[in-house]
């Protein structure tokens, strides 16, 4: 039996994540008390109907005693159940905006506390859990469809130990994705933004890519970048990581970062890794 513990910041997309996991065939339970997790695992193991994959949502509503959560997870592992932890994160301004749009109250927001103060308190409470997470997904720049796509690509096969490399382009002006393991800045490359015929296209366009790679600087970068990544990935795999997120950033996330992310993805596909390419900001 495989357990997926879904946690993270309130407003970061846990409810939408649960809907995705239900579509993937997970049996989903929201806000199960931490102390009941081992007992719940026992019931699932004893049930006539076999539960192969279970997603449990736990967050600050459970009281914030996450040391007890780790003890409960050790207990289910002793029963022979494997588990992974997914942590959904987002920056504070985005969380504030989402709560205002839905007109919902943050679970830690008291009579005198501001929304921002409640969010920052929650972030502190979840620090240890985030540090133990196997997957951290930053939903700041993701639409509902984008989050679903990200989760589908991450978890279709995770229980079988698949190793995924996620190459994500982004724009520094919109913030660095917090789920990146490696971040590379390519703002020194020729910028197609200043060419009017290329400005509205993105880095997947052949003409834009040729512009980025003119002069040989991008080719030299790719030589160093691919050598470094080829060195690192087998060591991450040996360490037991199930995925690595590589961020490639330029100013707006539309041209240079997209072109380099595409080139790096092409290289990695030739190395027999499962490769997912995402462009967070290319349509902005």
């Amino acid at each position: 039996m495989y357990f997926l513990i879904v946690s993270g910041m309130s407003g970061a997309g846990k409810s939408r994540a649960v809907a995705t996991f239900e579509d993937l065939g997970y049996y989903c339970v929201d806000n199960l008390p931490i102390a009941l997790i081992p007992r719940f695992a026992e019931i699932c193991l004893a049930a006539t109907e076999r539960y192969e994959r279970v997603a449990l949502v736990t967050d600050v509503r459970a009281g914030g005693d996450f040391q007890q959560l780790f003890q409960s997870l050790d207990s289910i592992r002793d029963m022979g159940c494997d588990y992974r932890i997914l942590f959904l994160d987002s920056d504070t301004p985005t969380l504030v905006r989402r709560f205002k749009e839905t007109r919902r109250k943050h679970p830690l927001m008291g009579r005198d506390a501001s929304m921002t103060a409640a969010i920052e308190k929650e972030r502190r409470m979840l620090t240890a859990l985030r540090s133990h997470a196997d997957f951290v997904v930053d939903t700041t720049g993701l639409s509902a469809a984008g989050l679903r796509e990200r989760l589908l690509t991450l978890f279709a096969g995770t229980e079988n130990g698949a190793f995924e490399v996620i190459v994500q382009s982004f724009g520094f002006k919109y913030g660095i994705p917090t789920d990146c393991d490696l971040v590379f800045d390519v703002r020194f490359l020729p910028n197609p933004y200043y060419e009017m015929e290329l400005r509205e296209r993105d880095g997947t366009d052949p003409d834009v890519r040729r512009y980025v790679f003119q002069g040989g600087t991008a080719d030299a970068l790719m030589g160093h970048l691919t050598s470094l990544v080829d060195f690192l990935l087998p060591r991450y795999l040996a360490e037991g990581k199930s995925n690595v997120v590589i961020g490639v950033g330029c100013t707006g996330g539309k041209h240079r970062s997209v072109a380099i992310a595409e080139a790096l993805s092409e290289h990695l596909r030739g190395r027999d890794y499962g490769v997912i390419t995402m462009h967070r900001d290319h349509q902005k």
Side-chain angles (χ1 to χ4, degrees):
M1 184 180 295
Y2 172 80
F3 279 81
L4 180 64
I5 308 302
V6 182
S7 191
M9 298 295 293
S10 300
K14 294 190 292 293
S15 296
R16 294 189 182 276
V18 167
T20 300
F21 290 125
E22 286 178 343
D23 291 342
L24 285 172
Y26 284 74
Y27 181 78
C28 299
V29 180
D30 188 13
N31 201 24
L32 182 72
I34 291 173
L36 294 182
I37 291 177
R39 179 56 181 154
F40 176 76
E42 292 175 356
I43 294 172
C44 290
L45 288 169
T48 303
E49 180 183 357
R50 180 69 177 172
Y51 295 96
E52 298 291 342
R53 296 182 294 178
V54 178
L56 297 178
V57 181
T58 184
D59 50 35
V60 294
R61 294 172 297 170
D65 185 2
F66 293 107
Q67 186 57 45
Q68 185 183 12
L69 172 63
F70 300 139
Q71 294 170 357
S72 293
L73 294 179
D74 288 340
S75 296
I76 67 172
R77 178 162 283 171
D78 290 342
M79 298 177 197
C81 301
D82 193 15
Y83 73 86
R84 296 290 187 274
I85 300 174
L86 165 67
F87 191 95
L88 299 180
D89 204 352
S90 189
D91 66 23
T92 299
T94 299
L95 294 175
V96 171
R97 175 179 55 80
R98 289 174 181 172
F99 273 105
K100 288 184 176 180
E101 288 174 350
T102 60
R103 299 182 179 180
R104 296 189 63 193
K105 184 179 179 180
H106 190 281
L108 298 181
M109 192 173 174
R111 180 175 299 178
D112 300 322
S114 68
M115 177 73 73
T116 300
I119 291 171
E120 293 307 320
K121 179 180 179 181
E122 180 183 34
R123 200 179 298 281
R124 291 191 298 271
M125 292 173 64
L126 293 174
T127 298
L129 183 57
R130 189 184 194 281
S131 68
H132 282 78
D134 300 283
F135 307 92
V136 178
V137 175
D138 181 7
T139 68
T140 300
L142 290 180
S143 63
L147 174 59
R148 176 180 172 81
E149 178 184 1
R150 179 67 179 277
L151 295 177
L152 288 174
T153 52
L154 273 177
F155 291 96
T158 296
E159 66 279 5
N160 295 322
F163 182 73
E164 299 280 1
V165 182
I166 301 163
V167 183
Q168 179 176 198
S169 68
F170 67 92
F172 278 98
K173 66 187 292 185
Y174 304 111
I176 300 174
T178 60
D179 53 348
C180 290
D181 298 293
L182 302 167
V183 175
F184 298 100
D185 183 351
V186 299
R187 286 176 288 188
F188 57 86
L189 295 176
N191 193 352
Y193 177 84
Y194 297 108
E195 298 294 328
M196 294 306 298
E197 67 272 19
L198 301 177
R199 177 175 293 187
E200 299 305 318
R201 308 186 208 176
D202 63 44
T204 62
D205 185 283
D207 291 335
V208 173
R209 181 163 175 167
R210 279 191 290 270
Y211 188 93
V212 171
F213 275 81
Q214 67 177 326
T217 302
D219 288 313
L221 167 66
M222 288 303 301
H224 294 296
L225 183 57
T226 53
S227 294
L228 176 61
V229 171
D230 286 346
F231 172 79
L232 291 174
L233 290 182
R235 286 156 178 81
Y236 285 135
L237 181 58
E239 184 188 330
K241 288 180 70 68
S242 55
N243 73 96
V244 172
V245 183
I246 302 174
V248 182
C250 63
T251 303
K254 186 172 185 176
H255 301 110
R256 294 167 290 180
S257 62
V258 173
I260 297 301
E262 288 286 335
L264 179 58
S265 297
E266 292 168 8
H267 169 81
L268 292 172
R269 290 190 182 97
R271 296 295 188 274
D272 296 325
Y273 294 113
V275 180
I276 302 164
T277 309
M278 303 181 66
H279 304 303
R280 191 188 72 178
D281 303 321
H282 73 302
Q283 293 183 338
K284 292 182 179 178

